[in-house]
Amino acid sequence: MVTGFNHSGVVVKDLSAMIEFYCDVLGLEVLREVHSVAPPSGDHTGISGAKRELVFVGLPGDGHQLELVHYLDPVPSNGHLNHHQFGSSHVCFNVADLDGIYTDLSGKGIRFVTEPKYRTTPDGARVGIIYALDPEGNYLEFIERTEPSS
């Protein structure tokens, strides 16, 4: 039985640029780094002899991490899944100020799919949502939830 989340992973092309984005732009921290070499028989990935650099970023004490996976061998194929294709994914962040995130990241050249959109839930909470793209075109979702005042 599942007891919680551990991490989510995304295969990246330019590891340095992605670390800079997730840490310097979004404010996450590098939590650990692993140089991984699978044996010829393969390891848990099922890719024999794979050589990877793994960098886990996140917020200390948060419990969930984003694993940036950079394959050195075999080199991933060029191209990117379209965001509506099976297998495509995104990472979602909770934020306290959606409009502020939009303004700040737009000023840093981050491309957004839309402007922030807001709705009120049946329980009276105000929820805002927006999608952006990281430097390699992966979808990022940002959500702000404001509980109704009593």
Side-chain angles (χ1 to χ4, degrees):
M1 174 184 268
V2 173
T3 61
F5 282 95
N6 185 284
H7 71 271
S8 300
V10 60
V11 175
V12 303
K13 185 175 183 177
D14 186 337
L15 185 59
S16 296
M18 296 298 271
I19 292 170
E20 179 181 336
F21 173 75
Y22 283 99
C23 293
D24 296 346
V25 175
L26 293 188
L28 303 179
E29 296 178 23
V30 172
L31 301 174
R32 67 185 171 110
E33 299 179 49
V34 177
H35 178 75
S36 173
V37 179
S41 60
D43 63 3
H44 60 278
T45 65
I47 303 171
S48 64
K51 294 177 182 71
R52 301 170 293 164
E53 296 294 334
L54 311 173
V55 177
F56 293 82
V57 298
L59 298 171
D62 181 55
H64 190 267
Q65 302 170 24
L66 178 61
E67 177 187 22
L68 305 176
V69 180
H70 177 68
Y71 277 88
L72 303 169
D73 184 35
V75 176
S77 61
N78 286 330
H80 201 285
L81 290 175
N82 288 321
H83 297 292
H84 68 284
Q85 284 183 276
F86 294 116
S88 180
S89 61
H90 70 274
V91 176
C92 181
F93 297 96
N94 292 320
V95 300
D97 178 7
L98 191 65
D99 290 325
I101 289 285
Y102 178 74
T103 300
D104 180 53
L105 295 181
S106 293
K108 293 178 179 177
I110 304 305
R111 194 174 69 172
F112 283 86
V113 177
T114 65
E115 294 180 352
K117 306 287 184 186
Y118 292 90
R119 65 180 174 85
T120 302
T121 64
D123 66 352
R126 181 174 184 249
V127 177
I129 187 170
I130 192 166
Y131 278 88
L133 301 173
D134 77 8
E136 293 189 357
N138 299 299
Y139 260 9
L140 303 177
E141 180 180 7
F142 299 91
I143 292 179
E144 173 189 350
R145 180 180 171 92
T146 306
E147 297 301 329
S149 51
S150 303

